[in-house]
Amino acid sequence: MHPKDCIFCKVIDGVIPSTRIYEDEGFICIRDIHPQAKVHLLVIPKAPIASLEEVFPERGENKAALLGQLFDVAAKIARQQGLLPGGFRSVINTGSLGGQTVFHLHLHILGGEPLRGSFG
Ligand code: AMP
């Protein structure tokens, strides 16, 4: 379930300030407030979707197209930010056991420095 009091909805609406580096009809990209790498960005769909679980529900139509758009936007931003062609890490945490703390779908982009090949 998408939470009523959703932080990223407030970020999208501009109620909570953020460092917005990209916006189009469907997505925004902001800088993470607690960066885990030299560059740490969050690509956030504007649609109120809680997590990857809701993208691929047990029943009903999936939202696979939205996920394609999410990665398309991420690659575009990574190029704009100079992370490509070098490389970057993309992460989607799903559910509390997956480390998700904000229950509005988002993709982490990490880079700007060499990253270790682990998932610590
Ligand atoms: P996750 O743990 O995958 O749900 O990621 C949530 C991320 O959102 C964390 O890395 C937080 O540091 C980040 N975050 C939380 N609130 C804000 C905010 N207001 N602006 C920018 N980043 C935020």
Side-chain angles (χ1 to χ4, degrees):
M1 270 298 268
H2 191 260
K4 255 189 174 172
D5 203 27
C6 163
I7 294 173
F8 286 170
C9 293
K10 290 181 182 159
V11 168
I12 291 163
D13 292 343
V15 177
I16 294 178
S18 65
T19 316
R20 198 173 292 217
I21 64 157
Y22 175 89
E23 178 166 15
D24 65 21
E25 263 191 3
F27 300 88
I28 63 166
C29 179
I30 62 171
R31 291 195 188 281
D32 196 292
I33 36 166
H34 298 302
Q36 303 297 311
K38 201 167 169 192
V39 177
H40 187 171
L41 309 172
L42 301 171
V43 188
I44 308 171
K46 291 181 178 174
I49 297 165
S51 77
L52 201 58
E53 192 183 359
E54 279 187 15
V55 176
F56 297 102
E58 222 175 331
R59 288 178 200 83
E61 212 174 309
N62 71 44
K63 300 178 181 68
L66 177 99
L67 213 61
Q69 289 164 8
L70 177 65
F71 277 97
D72 186 30
V73 167
K76 191 189 294 181
I77 292 164
R79 277 193 197 93
Q80 279 176 1
Q81 296 292 311
L83 300 178
L84 285 177
F88 66 96
R89 180 170 295 160
S90 49
V91 175
I92 298 178
N93 295 324
T94 304
S96 49
L97 291 183
Q100 186 173 5
T101 57
V102 178
F103 287 83
H104 182 118
L105 182 67
H106 54 281
L107 176 75
H108 296 257
I109 293 178
L110 299 143
E113 61 184 323
L115 301 177
R116 284 182 298 124
S118 72
F119 299 100

